[in-house]
Amino acid sequence: AILYSEDALLDIAADKIRLQLAQTADIYMFRQLRAGTNVRYAAGAASRLLVNAPPTRADFDLIVRDLTGVDCPRVTKKIGASMKVATQPIKAAYIGLYHPNLSADIGRSDGFIFAENYGTQEVLHDDELGTSPAGIRFIPSTIIQPWLAAAISISIAQTTYLSNGVASAGYPDSYPIIVFGEEAYGHLDLKSHKSMEVSTIVPGSEKAKTFDDPTGENGCVSADLRTGGGILDQRRLVRYECCASATWS
């Protein structure tokens, strides 16, 4: 099929594999970051088993206090208001990574400034949600996965928050928000090798001809990924765990 197809199937497969490699590297880093020891739970809960509240401005303010208290530099610079209607200035900020299921709750927090109201279009990412008043800029990613039905000390009959990723009765899921400043973590590629390499063998080429396939009828796509990273300073990264409301509005 690859040899006689009018479509560039090998190129399509190679593009998909490159995307999967990038996502794999992101997942690896997320697992490193969510293992941090600097943790806060919504509404002052004592542990993940007791998480039973959505994200709030008060908690965001406490996270910023934690980071500024250890002289953690902010990642972004101040954005001034512009002459456009209803734009607002944005202070220098930390970065918060979260799952999209939390977007409604974060956007409802007191004083939240949505990205479309920035004085300029200096967004960190096309999907950036906005900024908390204390200075956390929020970027969603489905890679930031929750601990499903983790709050087992809460009534299993609750329907206020998502359970197992859906709006149904059950123990609440615990969603992490990873908030960090400069030099909180490091990510590196191995210099002695290509960190991400996708190789293609085209059917009919000399490389495709083997003892088992002397005419080279078969082709293939292969990939290698070499990456590493981890938290550099636990004090500069906070994992905040909270619930996601079952209703969007």
Side-chain angles (χ1 to χ4, degrees), residues 25-199:
D26 285 346
I27 291 171
Y28 168 81
M29 278 307 304
F30 164 61
R31 290 179 176 175
Q32 301 302 307
L33 300 184
R34 80 170 183 178
T37 58
N38 194 6
V39 188
R40 276 192 175 274
Y41 300 100
S47 73
R48 183 177 303 143
L49 305 181
L50 295 167
V51 170
N52 191 35
T56 63
R57 174 178 178 173
D59 286 340
F60 296 153
D61 291 348
L62 290 175
I63 292 171
V64 171
R65 187 181 70 179
D66 290 344
L67 294 174
T68 56
V70 295
D71 295 322
C72 178
R74 299 175 189 253
V75 177
T76 67
K77 297 181 180 180
K78 179 180 179 180
I79 299 176
S82 73
M83 297 299 291
K84 297 178 181 178
V85 176
T87 63
Q88 296 176 263
I90 306 299
K91 64 170 57 179
Y94 299 109
I95 305 300
L97 305 178
Y98 72 96
H99 191 281
N101 283 352
L102 290 173
S103 289
D105 289 309
I106 294 173
R108 282 195 292 261
S109 61
D110 293 341
F112 191 80
I113 303 170
F114 287 95
E116 54 264 34
N117 293 325
Y118 290 177
T120 66
Q121 295 303 310
E122 296 181 20
V123 293
L124 299 173
H125 187 278
D126 290 343
D127 295 328
E128 181 179 345
L129 182 66
T131 306
S132 72
I136 302 174
R137 294 177 66 170
F138 290 92
I139 300 174
S141 173
T142 54
I143 289 173
I144 313 298
Q145 288 292 313
W147 286 275
L148 298 177
I152 60 175
S153 295
I154 307 302
S155 171
I156 196 171
Q158 74 83 32
T159 58
T160 303
Y161 304 113
L162 295 182
S163 178
N164 286 303
V166 296
S168 65
Y171 298 122
D173 300 334
S174 183
Y175 283 82
I177 301 178
I178 309 297
V179 183
F180 58 88
E182 280 191 356
E183 300 180 356
Y185 68 92
H187 175 263
L188 58 87
D189 300 323
L190 299 182
K191 294 296 184 181
S192 58
H193 298 83
K194 293 183 178 179
S195 61
M196 184 183 296
E197 184 176 13
V198 178
S199 302

